[in-house]
């Protein structure tokens, strides 16, 4: 299709209160091949016709009964999305320079006085339509570019998430050959956050960031990390820095997820009573995401086998969490955890059933003893 044919297919709206003027414009345009025409002699119909037909050009009289051309332009302007170019050619018998300036200021792109030269009219129409379609083409190209940028941004984000997930699993595989503890902790933490009615965006951040809570274990020697049985006080001191190691690995990130992952890695072994590590934060000094992941981590560790322990029955795991509310764990987070347990969702999560996310738990020391990882 040639450019000339494309212009002739343009939709043109004619608004003039004089029937003779409308018919003259229609005949003139049709002789030049413009057939996609809509016209009215009642300016009150302009807005509805504009909304129905979305014209590429409006030929508009100024001095009309009911609603004048200036008011029509204001109404049309209010309906146009930002950045959209819609040419309006004013055709009027009023040759007053002030009227012309007012019309151009109100949104008209061109101005002709009646009686007009038909050839000049058609050339002006062609110029405005060409400009209209150049704007549309540019907007379309910008939209395509925005879509490509959005796709590449999504791909980059997906790649970053995959890298972070692999990093989390790399640390976890050393004492969890299924590699699923990190996923389960993330899922359970998200369930708890959702039950606490945190905003969906924050719930999603917790779900994504929580699996990185133990990334610092890559800095813990195997003879301690994989030791069967209870750690000595000296060995436990060696394992504690996995929190600061993990936070250091994640420090300096710019995304909200990496910043939250850094916070979780550093604080998920702090205790509500202030007896945790690495810095002995107490109560609400501990970031909420750290308090949530602390419970998810302990529950998952208790309910699954580890090199140094057998899995506990789920009921005993829940009882242990409840017993430590107000001491090790935030009471409000414990309440949300127990609500999940009574709903059955927590049991399904622990058993890996009916979940859209692959989930399974992690390692630590048990009942009344210091948590191991």
């Amino acid at each position: 299709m040639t450019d000339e044919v494309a212009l002739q297919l343009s939709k043109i709206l004619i608004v003039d209160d004089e029937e003779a003027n409308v018919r003259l414009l229609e005949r003139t345009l049709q002789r030049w091949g413009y057939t996609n025409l809509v016209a009215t002699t009642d300016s009150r119909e302009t807005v509805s016709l504009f909304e129905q037909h979305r014209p590429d050009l409006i030929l508009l009289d100024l001095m009309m009964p009911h609603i004048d051309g200036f008011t029509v332009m204001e109404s049309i302007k209010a309906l146009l999305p930002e950045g959209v170019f819609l040419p309006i050619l004013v055709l009027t018998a009023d040759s007053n320079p002030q009227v012309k300036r007012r019309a151009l200021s109100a949104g008209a792109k061109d101005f002709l006085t009646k009686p007009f030269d038909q050839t000049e009219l058609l050339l002006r129409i062609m110029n405005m339509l060409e400009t209209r379609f150049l704007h549309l083409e540019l907007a379309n190209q910008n939209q395509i570019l925005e879509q490509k940028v959005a796709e590449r941004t999504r791909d980059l984000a997906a790649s970053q998430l995959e890298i972070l997930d692999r990093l989390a699993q790399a640390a976890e595989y050393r004492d969890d050959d299924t590699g699923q503890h990190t996923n389960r902790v993330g899922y359970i933490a998200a369930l708890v956050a959702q039950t606490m009615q945190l905003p969906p965006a924050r719930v999603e951040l917790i779900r994504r960031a929580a699996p990185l809570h133990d990334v610092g274990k890559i800095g813990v020697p195997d003879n301690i990390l994989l030791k069967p049985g209870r750690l000595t006080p000296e060995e436990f001191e060696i394992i504690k820095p996995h929190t600061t190691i993990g936070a250091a690995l994640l420090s300096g990130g710019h995304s909200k997820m990496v910043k939250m992952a850094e916070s979780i890695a550093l604080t998920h072994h702090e205790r509500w009573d202030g007896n945790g590590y690495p810095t002995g934060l107490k109560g609400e000094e501990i970031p909420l995401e750290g308090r949530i992941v602390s419970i998810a981590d302990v529950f998952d560790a208790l309910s699954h086998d580890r090199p140094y322990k057998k899995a506990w029955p789920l009921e005993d795991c829940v009882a242990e969490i409840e017993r430590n509310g107000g001491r090790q764990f935030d009471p409000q987070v414990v309440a949300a955890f127990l609500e999940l347990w009574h709903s059955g969702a927590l049991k399904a999560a622990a058993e890996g059933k009916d979940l859209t996310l692959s989930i399974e738990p992690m390692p630590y020391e048990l009942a009344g003893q210091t948590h191991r990882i």
Side-chain angles (χ1 to χ4, degrees):
M1 180 166 57
T2 66
D3 290 341
E4 183 178 350
V5 172
L7 292 178
Q8 290 173 345
L9 291 175
S10 304
K11 292 175 284 187
I12 299 176
L13 173 60
I14 303 169
V15 184
D16 195 308
D17 64 309
E18 295 290 338
E19 184 74 27
N21 290 339
V22 171
R23 297 294 166 252
L24 174 61
L25 286 169
E26 287 179 332
R27 288 194 301 271
T28 302
L29 290 168
Q30 287 167 352
R31 281 199 304 270
W32 282 69
Y34 295 98
T35 58
N36 200 353
L37 307 176
V38 180
T40 182
T41 57
D42 187 345
S43 58
R44 293 171 296 185
E45 298 178 346
T46 307
V47 169
S48 62
L49 289 173
F50 170 80
E51 291 179 325
Q52 290 175 36
H53 299 282
R54 293 293 171 178
D56 298 301
L57 170 67
I58 298 177
L59 304 182
L60 179 66
D61 189 17
L62 282 183
M63 304 309 164
M64 298 178 288
H66 308 302
I67 301 175
D68 65 21
F70 298 108
T71 305
V72 168
M73 284 189 282
E74 289 178 6
S75 301
I76 296 298
K77 187 177 181 180
L79 297 174
L80 288 176
E82 186 178 353
V84 171
F85 176 82
L86 175 67
I88 297 176
L89 173 56
V90 165
L91 303 171
T92 181
D94 192 339
S95 60
N96 188 319
Q98 289 184 330
V99 172
K100 182 176 182 179
R101 287 195 292 270
R102 183 183 172 192
L104 294 172
S105 298
K109 301 304 179 187
D110 208 343
F111 188 99
L112 279 178
T113 55
K114 302 173 185 176
F116 48 78
D117 179 83
Q118 293 188 6
T119 301
E120 182 182 2
L121 169 68
L122 292 165
L123 289 173
R124 288 174 183 258
I125 286 174
M126 183 178 294
N127 287 339
M128 284 191 289
L129 287 173
E130 286 178 345
T131 305
R132 159 80 169 170
F133 288 119
L134 285 173
H135 273 266
L136 290 175
E137 184 179 351
L138 179 61
N140 185 54
Q141 289 176 346
N142 287 340
Q143 186 176 12
I144 291 172
L145 287 173
E146 287 173 2
Q147 289 174 346
K148 289 182 177 180
V149 169
E151 289 172 3
R152 291 178 181 176
T153 300
R154 285 194 296 269
D155 290 343
L156 179 60
S159 298
Q160 291 173 336
L161 286 173
E162 184 178 2
I163 290 169
L164 291 172
D165 182 61
R166 297 292 177 90
L167 179 62
Q169 291 192 31
E172 195 60 38
Y173 269 125
R174 296 173 64 206
D175 64 340
D176 173 17
D177 57 12
T178 69
Q180 291 304 302
H181 165 69
T182 56
N183 287 330
R184 289 194 303 268
V185 168
Y187 188 84
I188 293 170
L191 286 179
V192 173
Q194 190 174 53
T195 303
M196 297 181 71
Q197 299 184 338
L198 297 188
R202 193 172 183 190
V203 171
E204 179 64 12
L205 276 177
I206 290 173
R207 185 180 78 83
R208 296 288 189 180
L212 290 158
H213 65 285
D214 269 342
V215 68
K217 289 194 304 184
I218 61 175
V220 178
D222 283 347
N223 66 314
I224 293 183
L225 186 64
L226 303 179
K227 179 182 176 180
R230 190 171 179 175
L231 297 176
T232 67
E234 293 77 14
E235 290 169 333
F236 188 66
E237 288 302 316
I238 294 173
I239 214 168
K240 281 183 179 181
H242 81 279
T243 53
T244 51
I245 292 171
L249 285 171
L250 297 165
S251 66
H254 298 293
S255 74
K256 290 182 179 179
M257 193 198 80
V258 174
K259 289 179 179 178
M260 181 176 283
E262 178 186 356
S263 170
I264 289 171
L266 184 65
T267 64
H268 71 286
H269 283 298
E270 299 288 0
R271 291 173 55 106
W272 185 254
D273 60 13
N275 292 320
Y277 65 89
T279 56
L281 297 178
K282 183 177 182 180
E284 293 187 358
E285 293 175 349
I286 308 166
L288 180 56
E289 57 267 19
R291 287 177 262 153
I292 290 173
V293 173
S294 174
I295 285 183
D297 186 21
V298 169
F299 175 73
D300 194 70
L302 286 174
S303 59
H304 288 75
D305 288 338
R306 280 294 178 266
Y308 47 83
K309 72 165 198 63
K310 291 294 184 182
W312 287 21
L314 290 180
E315 291 77 8
D316 293 348
C317 299
V318 173
E320 176 72 4
I321 299 293
E322 185 174 14
R323 187 177 68 82
N324 280 284
R327 294 190 294 177
Q328 183 174 352
F329 306 119
D330 178 346
Q332 289 187 326
V333 181
V334 171
F337 174 86
L338 294 176
E339 183 179 338
L340 275 174
W341 171 252
H342 293 308
S343 73
L346 193 58
K347 183 176 181 182
E351 295 175 349
K353 295 178 180 177
D354 302 322
L355 301 174
T356 55
L357 182 67
S358 177
I359 48 169
E360 284 212 346
M362 112 173 215
Y364 97 105
E365 293 254 28
L366 319 173
Q369 298 182 14
T370 307
H371 296 164
R372 186 150 152 187
I373 308 279

